[in-house]
Amino acid sequence: MRKSIPYSLIFAGATSLLFGCAIGNAPHENPPKLIGTVFQEGWNGSKFENVAWDRPGAFGPVPEGLRVTGDTFCQKGGFERAIGYHPNALDLEGQNIPSGGFYCSNSKE
């Protein structure tokens, strides 16, 4: 059984290229969930795994109060900045990530 990860997971890379800037105006009521993928790696705060968010459009903008936290988290994973946040994002097991999830990008837009 896979152990739940107690911190915000992120994913960007090619997904942001495929979907463009797909972040919504507000977090969607149906939260995004991490899924396993063989195509890209996502960063979980301590290591890279083959994960991606299932619906980037479910993320809303990063709240101003979390901007520095999100950008710092993303930069530790080699990304430019956080472009989306969902307070109820789900991990690989479908469990709520207590601190929410950031969607990161290398885009400067």
Side-chain angles (χ1 to χ4, degrees):
M1 183 163 124
R2 191 169 211 158
K3 189 175 180 183
S4 290
I5 299 169
Y7 34 79
S8 303
L9 290 176
I10 57 143
F11 176 77
T15 301
S16 55
L17 296 175
L18 294 172
F19 294 103
C21 189
I23 304 305
N25 293 330
H28 192 272
E29 63 185 49
N30 185 13
K33 180 182 182 302
L34 282 170
I35 57 172
T37 177
V38 296
F39 300 109
Q40 290 293 324
E41 285 187 322
W43 185 65
N44 74 10
S46 63
K47 66 177 182 170
F48 285 89
E49 294 189 78
N50 288 331
V51 295
W53 293 110
D54 65 346
R55 296 176 309 103
F59 286 88
V62 179
E64 280 306 312
L66 292 175
R67 169 73 50 208
V68 172
T69 300
D71 287 350
T72 300
F73 186 85
C74 291
Q75 289 164 3
K76 287 180 181 177
F79 297 99
E80 181 71 27
R81 65 191 185 98
I83 60 170
Y85 175 76
H86 199 291
N88 301 314
L90 304 174
D91 65 17
L92 287 166
E93 289 82 32
Q95 301 300 312
N96 189 299
I97 299 170
S99 56
F102 291 101
Y103 187 83
C104 299
S105 176
N106 284 323
S107 170
K108 296 189 190 269
E109 295 178 12

